[in-house]
Amino acid sequence: MNSSVSALPLSTLNPANEALTLRLPSSLQLKQQLPLSLALSQQVNAHRQAIRAILDGEDSRLLVIVGPCSIHDPKSALEYAANLARVAHEVSDSMLLVMRAYVEKPRTTVGWKGLAYDPGLDGSDDMAGGLTLSRELMREMLQLGLPVATELLQPMAANYFDDLLSWVAIGARTTESQIHREMASGLGMPVGFKNGTDGGVGIACDAMRSAAHPHRHFGVDSQGHPAIIQTQGNPDTHLVLRGGHRGPNYDRQSVTQIHNDLTRLKIPARIMVDCSHANSGKDPLRQPQVFNDVLEQRLQGNHSLIGMMLESHLFEGCQSLGPSLRYGVSVTDGCLGWATTEQLLRQAHRQLVSA
């Protein structure tokens, strides 16, 4: 992967606050340099339709979003994707596996913001290079036959990737944001809204109702110009449970209550469980326990549980950014290793096909 669209020279120095402005290429320019072939475009559309069918109950498979907490090294990410593509093909009659390709990371205060922001991992913040690298990487994952998922954190970055994605997350910190709800209402793929960091689902319910409606909002067109964006509304949203400050919310009692709340609000009861974050107590090795508990609920007839999410890399754990990094180990949240992940997915496949 050696294509590059560079940022343009410094254009503005604002004397009021000393903010420096560096112009980025437009999303149209990057898409023209790294186009999506007709075959891959049709593949993305087919995967979007397959996910919609799962959400609507027309496809009985389990939807599983799985991959690194964040991508920092293209080589290890592609090795992981190749492993996942092999297993995805072998379990395709019971599960639809989607590659988690997160290139933006929300920060509580400060820290590394993801591949799209700082591909050099060194604070140089070459965002033009990061956007190019991220698009190249996602396109290579598509070429392996995988659906691709990401969390859209910065709405201005969404246009650089939107044609590559089959599923999108709106995170716990941004589900309450009107800007993200407006953005979701215009996306052409299913969107999962995470519950708030407190563990409550009210904010996510409001988000799904908002995103289902048409909006007119401020935005940027494909050429980078300010624009009025008119959306049609997105009917393909669902809830992602990730626990909260009060603890997990994947247990049977919590899921039943949330199902009833969604039904009362006339929101389709479509629930995905994030097996990481507060649901695992931030211990990545507890993710299989969460996964198996939710799978058992599903096998016992709770089909509002349409899917799960796993944070997984080539090797378990996490590491801090530094001059010497271990290959295939997350630099953000701790992950399951691939060997454990593959075993978990294959075991779930056996249970699902024999049910």
Side-chain angles (χ1 to χ4, degrees):
M1 296 183 294
N2 53 19
S3 301
S4 178
V5 176
S6 299
L8 298 178
L10 184 67
S11 59
T12 304
L13 175 62
N14 186 336
N17 59 14
E18 302 299 319
L20 300 176
T21 302
L22 201 62
R23 186 174 297 165
L24 288 167
S26 70
S27 60
L28 178 61
Q29 287 175 300
L30 188 56
K31 286 176 176 176
Q32 288 175 337
Q33 178 154 343
L34 296 170
L36 196 61
S37 69
L38 177 60
L40 286 181
S41 180
Q42 291 173 338
Q43 175 184 298
V44 171
N45 287 331
H47 284 145
R48 291 177 179 179
Q49 284 299 110
I51 294 173
R52 291 187 182 106
I54 290 173
L55 294 179
D56 293 339
E58 299 168 359
D59 185 332
S60 62
R61 291 182 296 173
L62 185 69
L63 176 63
V64 183
I65 315 295
V66 55
C69 171
S70 62
I71 289 176
H72 70 279
D73 170 31
K75 181 179 179 182
S76 63
L78 287 174
E79 181 180 340
Y80 184 98
N83 290 340
L84 187 66
R86 171 175 48 83
V87 174
H89 175 73
E90 295 172 9
V91 304
S92 61
D93 55 342
S94 67
M95 291 184 284
L96 177 58
L97 304 186
V98 180
M99 177 71 193
R100 180 185 164 112
Y102 280 33
V103 297
E104 299 181 86
K105 291 304 297 179
R107 311 310 309 190
T108 302
T109 53
V110 295
W112 184 68
K113 295 181 181 179
L115 191 73
Y117 287 75
D118 186 16
L121 313 177
D122 56 5
S124 58
D125 295 328
D126 176 13
M127 295 183 193
L131 291 169
T132 300
L133 183 58
S134 297
R135 183 170 175 87
E136 285 182 312
L137 186 59
M138 291 181 186
R139 196 173 63 165
E140 291 198 37
M141 291 171 179
L142 291 178
Q143 290 167 353
L144 293 170
L146 288 169
V148 172
T150 200
E151 177 179 334
L152 290 178
L153 183 62
Q154 169 51 257
M156 289 185 65
N159 287 344
Y160 291 93
F161 314 123
D162 57 357
D163 57 329
L164 308 174
L165 303 170
S166 295
W167 184 90
V168 160
I170 304 297
R173 296 172 180 84
T174 46
T175 286
E176 194 168 9
S177 160
Q178 175 175 309
I179 295 170
H180 288 78
R181 296 172 180 186
E182 291 169 343
M183 176 184 69
S185 75
L187 292 175
M189 73 287 293
V191 175
F193 284 98
K194 290 197 174 184
N195 65 250
T197 55
D198 65 350
V201 301
I203 289 171
C205 289
D206 290 344
M208 288 186 285
R209 295 166 73 182
S210 174
H213 285 272
H215 288 271
R216 290 189 182 94
H217 63 89
F218 292 103
V220 177
D221 67 17
S222 63
Q223 296 180 340
H225 301 304
I228 299 171
I229 309 297
Q230 181 169 329
T231 69
Q232 299 301 310
N234 189 339
D236 302 313
T237 63
H238 61 96
L239 177 63
V240 181
L241 299 180
R242 47 88 74 199
H245 299 321
R246 292 171 289 185
N249 59 3
Y250 67 87
D251 59 279
R252 193 180 309 273
Q253 182 177 352
S254 295
V255 170
T256 298
Q257 180 61 55
I258 290 164
H259 178 280
N260 293 339
D261 290 343
L262 292 170
T263 301
R264 176 175 53 81
L265 293 169
K266 298 181 180 180
I267 299 172
R270 307 186 288 208
I271 301 169
M272 174 181 286
V273 171
D274 178 352
C275 298
S276 186
H277 299 100
N279 276 334
S280 65
K282 297 187 177 180
D283 178 355
L285 301 185
R286 291 182 61 189
Q287 289 187 85
Q289 174 185 330
V290 179
F291 185 97
N292 287 325
D293 186 295
V294 176
L295 180 63
E296 185 60 29
Q297 293 181 54
R298 162 96 176 199
L299 291 171
Q300 291 181 1
N302 189 344
H303 293 288
S304 65
L305 290 166
I306 54 89
M308 284 180 271
M309 181 183 293
L310 291 166
E311 291 190 330
S312 162
H313 211 329
L314 292 176
F315 304 103
E316 70 180 38
C318 62
Q319 61 185 327
S320 299
L321 283 175
S324 180
L325 293 175
R326 289 174 288 154
Y327 180 75
V329 178
S330 173
V331 298
T332 47
D333 290 350
C335 292
L336 283 179
W338 170 251
T340 303
T341 303
E342 180 177 11
Q343 181 181 23
L344 186 66
L345 293 173
R346 290 190 181 281
Q347 179 183 339
H349 170 66
R350 290 191 293 270
Q351 290 179 262
L352 287 165
V353 296
S354 62

